[in-house]
Amino acid sequence: MIRSRIAPLVLCAVALLTTGCPPADGGKTDDGDYSIIVGGDGVFSPDYVKLAEGAAEGSYIITPYINDTSSPGIKAFSEAFIAEYKQEPDAWAALTYDAVGTIAVAIEKAGKPDRKGIRDALAAMNSKETGYPGVTGVTFFDKNGDCAKPALIAEVKGGKLTKSATQIDTSSAGEAKAGGDKAAKKAEGEPIVIGVAGPFTGGGQKYGEMIKAGAKLKLAELNAAGGVLGRPLKIVWGDDESTNSKAVNVANDFAARPELCAVVGHFNSTCSLAAKAIYKAAEIPALTPGSTNVKVCEGSDWYFRNLYRDDFQGFICSDFITKSLKKKTCVVFFDDDDYGTGLKTFFEQRAKETGLEVLESISYDKKSVTEFTSLVTKAKSKAPEVIFIAGNYKEAALIAKACKKAGLTK
Amino acid sequence: MLFLEYTLNGLNTGILYGLIAIGYTMVYGIIQLINFAHGEICMLGAMVTATFLGWAFGVDAIAIPAAGFVVFMTLAALMDGGFGILLDKIAYKPLRGSSRLSALITAIGMSLLLQNLAVMIWGAGANTIKVPEGYTSTAILQIGGRLGIRITFFHISIWLFTIASMSGLYFLVQKTRFGMAMRATAQNPTAASLMGVRLDKVVATTFFVGSFLGAIGGVAVAINKGSFDYQIGLYIGLVAFAAAVLGGIGSIPGAMLGGIIIGVVEAWAAGYLSEIPHPLVEGGISTGYKEAVGFTVLILIILLRPQGLLGSRGGDRA
Amino acid sequence: MSTPLIEFKGVKTGYGQMEVLHGIDLHVDQGEIVTLIGSNGAGKTTTLMTLSGVNKVWEGEIWYEGACLNGVPPHEIVARGICHVPEGRQIFRDLTVEENLRLGAYLRSDQAAIQKDLEHSFDMFPILRERSFQLGGTLSGGEQQMLAIARGLMGKPKVLLLDEPSLGLAPLIVADIFETVKRVNKEEDVTVVLVEQNANLALKTANRGYVLETGTITLSDDADKLANNPKVREAYLGG
Ligand SMILES: Nc1ncnc2c1ncn2[C@@H]1O[C@H](COP(=O)(O)OP(=O)(O)OP(=O)(O)O)[C@@H](O)[C@H]1O
Ligand SMILES: [Mg+2]
């Protein structure tokens, strides 16, 4: 009975084998060029390339950091990271690494692990000279708590995220520098406690793993070099699972610990937005290494970030398409959440100013979407030159795959 | 033309929903249990297939031989059929005869348990199923140029499999002695056992067939989507269950019909929702609601026809 | 006397927490027609269901052909030759008449003989032949009852358990059915256990009888003696 149902399947397989696959139509076709995928920084992850299985080749991705080991500052960090975790650091590992370093410097400047003192020390880092020099460039804040860092363009080449030959952003945040003093000293006394919040489980777990890895590496280096104020530094982890309600729980938990003096986090913009008010009320300084939504630092003196905002990112993405790639039409895929809609809005704004035609904006809900075939069919019907993705790497990989299946990309 | 392509897309996902829905409908037909862990059984089928292919051809293989693909997927699906039987023996059989609610709660519990088990074994990250070179991307038939409708080996193979499995099931259920016993059991298990039908065997067969088809469906959904993780069973399970209800739970052709309807409606929604103006948001209604549209259609049809499209009004069961 | 074909030894059973049979002792010899009479809810159906393995024995033992039946599943009991025509028809509504009959012969593999018995059933109940491709559920109540009995006989049983076969049937057909029962009993040596509301008819058909009152056997005797027992006459034969 079972055999009777497998037989057709086997037959089908045999048919497949004997006929073989017809040759793929190579290169250009009657309809012109293949489309190019450009992704926002949510797409920047080695897992984008891995999950897309070849469909990612040739994509361009905006990112605050590329693990470009030709820069000496990055080389040392990258080697230490690979020695510890057997994989390359991504942008979020590097930004968290720097964020923990920034907080440590602020504690030193404040002279004691005092929430208010640390906030003031962070706010005082208001220029390239007074800022924190790290592997992602110099971190310094404007009066809002936002940070002007450059956006880099990565290109997927040979299955790897490499620094693209064409870069668009000319503003420089200074040379990347590896962590400070290497002299081994012993940290003594009561530990100084900071919180690190991120998606350590759930849909954003991959990001969380990188965040944890970056934070742990910096922690180990700091403590090996005599700690902070001569005392060991200790991290309390807060798992927000990429959800607002969990982010609020984490923030309340942090606020309830009197010994905790600062927070690195959260990662997702929506989590930062949800937790912001709690940190403000509890007067805890927070430094996010990943939230780029424009509103994240708005209206709170206690929230900082060490990377660019989505308006800047959106502008860069649009300018990269028009100026570097010299393309005139695109279709946008955007995640329904704060990050995706924010980035898409600024991208479209800039596109309008510079004559880049947005043929269609297609939203998706990462929680429920099962497959992208029909959404890509919709994109395909517009025959765009560029596909811009404002979302996370997981869905971006699926979109890239569906585009390839549809013959939209090569 | 575009409409045709959306419809075709919907048909392609719809038959996969249908294959999975058969597992719900058959089990419900025989023991009146909504096996909420069926989605997870499908997920396990995809996980095991991915694992087998990884072992056989290396985790970094870009393309794999077609014969190997078919052999390992079939092996995994057979194993998954065994998981289905095991699930029944461990979780549901001890509760046979007790209230339906306790069986339902057990099913939900098993669903969560299997998800956690999958996280323990395979982690929470996304997985992919390796496919033969060109399986999903090479067009066998191209209508309307490069950007037109493409039909690939993947499509042809899921159509053939669906036709073969539906006719196989029809033959099994309608034309064989054992199929007659299955139908009898579905209508009146006590009377069937008084005819000498082994309930255990019928139930085990039902779980096996449903899980086998579910595994193939799960693999195909994972390939169609592009990647999958331990949560995939939750969503496809829900949609497939809706398909089973829509088609009339207990009816095998109904499950397939329900699957196709939901798939096609979803695809239309993906294509046309944004063309409906939204009073507040520029750019029309978000295509993120495409699943919601599928479920709305389900509710409407169930309001008009509570027993589902091909379902029969309650039999003589007490 | 040789060992009986079927023997209940202090059998107790029930549903959920409630005990329905409180220790039943009875026996049926090879070739007999034995009837169980009793008022509604006395436990007659329960007794038959326990014999055919659908209800589990709580205490005591049931013996059949020298083997204990406790814990033997229903399909196995059918395989050993006990066919049960359950109360209230219980035919398969969505199967055709012919399929219903074929299910009665589910455990037999002698195709030619099955075909012959099928013809035989149609001869016995000609209306079923006319309706053979109709779904069971579309038959009238009486037709369904005929189908249930014919289906039971399709199993070629050694022992036939009949639970209220006359229910809903016209008197002429009832007479027919009891004739058939007597005939298979005599010609094919089928032992019969008969549960019947129509105690009069039951006692006329049977060799022996038991009276069941709320889960306990209160009387047992030859059928004609029971028919003349004043208590039985008053309670079950309408005075
Ligand atoms: N499935 C069941 N669940 C619970 N109680 C039951 C069940 N079936 C029967 N009973 C109870 O067991 C007792 C005996 O029922 P049974 O059907 O054996 O009676 P009966 O002698 O066949 O009656 P009748 O002549 O009305 O058919 C009754 O009190 C009945 O309510
Ligand atoms: Mg009864």
Side-chain angles (χ1 to χ4, degrees), chain C residues 11 33 53 57 68 78 88 93 105-107 114 122 154 156 166 170 172 187-188 194 216 225:
Chain C
V11 171
I33 300 181
V57 176
C68 179
V78 180
R93 306 183 66 90
Y106 184 67
L107 292 179
I114 290 175
F122 289 150
M154 283 296 291
K156 278 257 165 265
S166 71
L172 263 179
E187 291 174 7
E188 297 171 33
L194 177 64
T216 318
K225 288 191 187 137

Side-chain angles (χ1 to χ4, degrees), chain C residues 15 18 20 38-47 87 163-164 195 197:
Chain C
Y15 303 93
M18 184 183 65
V20 169
S39 51
N40 293 128
K44 307 181 294 291
T45 299
T46 306
T47 305
E87 180 180 14
D163 198 343
E164 307 203 6
V195 166
Q197 286 295 332

Side-chain angles (χ1 to χ4, degrees), chain B residues 29-297:
Chain B
I30 302 288
I31 54 175
Q32 276 68 48
L33 167 78
I34 294 167
N35 176 16
F36 266 115
H38 182 56
E40 276 62 45
I41 288 286
C42 304
M43 177 268 292
L44 286 183
M47 288 285 186
V48 173
T49 304
T51 306
F52 281 176
L53 293 175
W55 281 343
F57 305 107
V59 276
D60 295 322
I62 294 292
I64 56 171
F69 174 70
V70 173
V71 167
F72 285 107
M73 180 177 65
T74 311
L75 262 179
L78 289 174
M79 227 174 106
D80 205 38
F83 291 160
I85 296 178
L86 215 61
L87 171 71
D88 172 56
K89 291 267 186 289
I90 294 171
Y92 304 142
K93 200 178 167 201
L95 291 174
R96 214 91 87 215
S98 62
S99 83
R100 281 199 204 178
L101 188 65
S102 53
L104 188 70
I105 289 168
T106 307
I108 294 171
M110 286 312 287
S111 156
L112 294 173
L113 185 84
L114 291 177
Q115 279 184 44
N116 286 319
L117 199 72
V119 173
M120 271 166 57
I121 301 176
W122 291 286
N127 288 302
T128 55
I129 288 178
K130 314 278 174 214
V131 294
E133 173 89 50
Y135 181 54
T136 54
S137 55
T138 303
I140 297 176
L141 189 68
Q142 185 90 272
I143 306 162
R146 176 169 66 87
L147 294 182
I149 297 176
R150 345 174 99 203
I151 291 169
T152 64
F153 278 109
F154 174 70
H155 298 134
I156 305 253
S157 58
I158 60 173
W159 297 342
L160 288 180
F161 180 79
T162 303
I163 292 170
S165 55
M166 289 307 283
S167 9
L169 267 183
Y170 175 81
F171 181 78
L172 168 73
V173 174
Q174 299 297 334
K175 300 288 170 204
T176 66
R177 220 165 61 93
F178 189 70
M180 193 166 76
M182 287 175 83
R183 284 181 288 144
T185 307
Q187 291 164 42
N188 190 336
T190 307
S193 71
L194 291 178
M195 301 299 112
V197 175
R198 289 187 60 166
L199 291 187
D200 282 353
K201 206 170 142 194
V202 169
V203 174
T205 307
T206 307
F207 270 93
F208 180 87
V209 171
S211 305
F212 178 84
L213 294 179
I216 304 277
V219 168
V221 165
I223 291 173
N224 198 34
K225 182 180 178 188
S227 80
F228 69 104
D229 60 19
Y230 72 101
Q231 286 180 317
I232 195 172
L234 200 67
Y235 178 72
I236 54 170
L238 202 62
V239 177
F241 173 61
V245 173
L246 178 57
I249 195 148
S251 157
I252 293 173
M256 186 47 74
L257 181 69
I260 290 173
I261 291 177
I262 291 192
V264 168
V265 168
E266 263 188 26
W268 286 343
Y272 299 113
L273 258 186
S274 63
E275 252 123 85
I276 304 170
H278 187 291
L280 303 174
V281 182
E282 184 199 347
I285 293 175
S286 165
T287 40
Y289 292 112
K290 74 186 177 88
E291 285 86 10
V293 175
F295 285 103
T296 309
V297 168

Side-chain angles (χ1 to χ4, degrees), chain A residues 172-345:
Chain A
S172 163
E175 187 57 18
K177 285 218 177 75
D181 203 338
K182 286 280 183 280
K185 276 190 229 143
K186 194 145 170 51
E188 283 167 343
E190 256 315 87
I192 292 177
V193 181
I194 64 168
V196 174
F200 301 126
T201 62
Q205 189 176 350
K206 276 281 161 194
Y207 295 121
E209 282 166 12
M210 279 293 183
I211 288 167
K212 212 171 214 175
K216 272 186 171 165
L217 187 62
K218 189 63 176 185
L219 181 76
E221 285 176 11
L222 283 168
N223 284 339
V228 179
L229 298 171
R231 290 159 61 180
L233 189 69
K234 196 185 143 195
I235 292 179
V236 184
W237 307 99
D239 181 8
D240 63 27
E241 299 177 25
S242 293
T243 62
N244 296 353
S245 56
K246 289 276 161 48
V248 167
N249 290 350
V250 167
N252 280 324
D253 175 45
F254 282 171
R257 295 166 180 263
E259 75 284 5
L260 190 141
C261 62
V263 171
V264 170
H266 293 226
F267 174 73
N268 300 82
S269 289
T270 131
C271 292
S272 283
L273 290 168
K276 183 166 79 168
I278 296 165
Y279 294 127
K280 188 179 176 185
E283 307 205 317
I284 303 175
L287 172 57
T288 166
S291 299
T292 49
N293 184 286
V294 285
K295 295 210 177 78
V296 166
C297 301
E298 219 170 69
S300 168
D301 290 337
W302 297 86
Y303 225 90
F304 297 85
R305 69 175 119 212
N306 67 353
L307 75 170
Y308 51 66
R309 307 195 318 190
D310 285 339
D311 47 358
F312 178 73
Q313 184 186 174
F315 282 26
I316 292 290
C317 292
S318 174
D319 283 4
F320 176 72
I321 292 168
T322 48
K323 292 189 185 144
S324 303
L325 297 178
K326 306 210 183 319
K327 302 290 181 195
K328 292 187 185 61
T329 59
C330 71
V331 162
V332 179
F333 280 94
F334 68 102
D335 192 331
D336 246 351
D337 69 2
D338 287 335
Y339 166 72
T341 41
L343 179 54
K344 166 233 173 202
T345 307

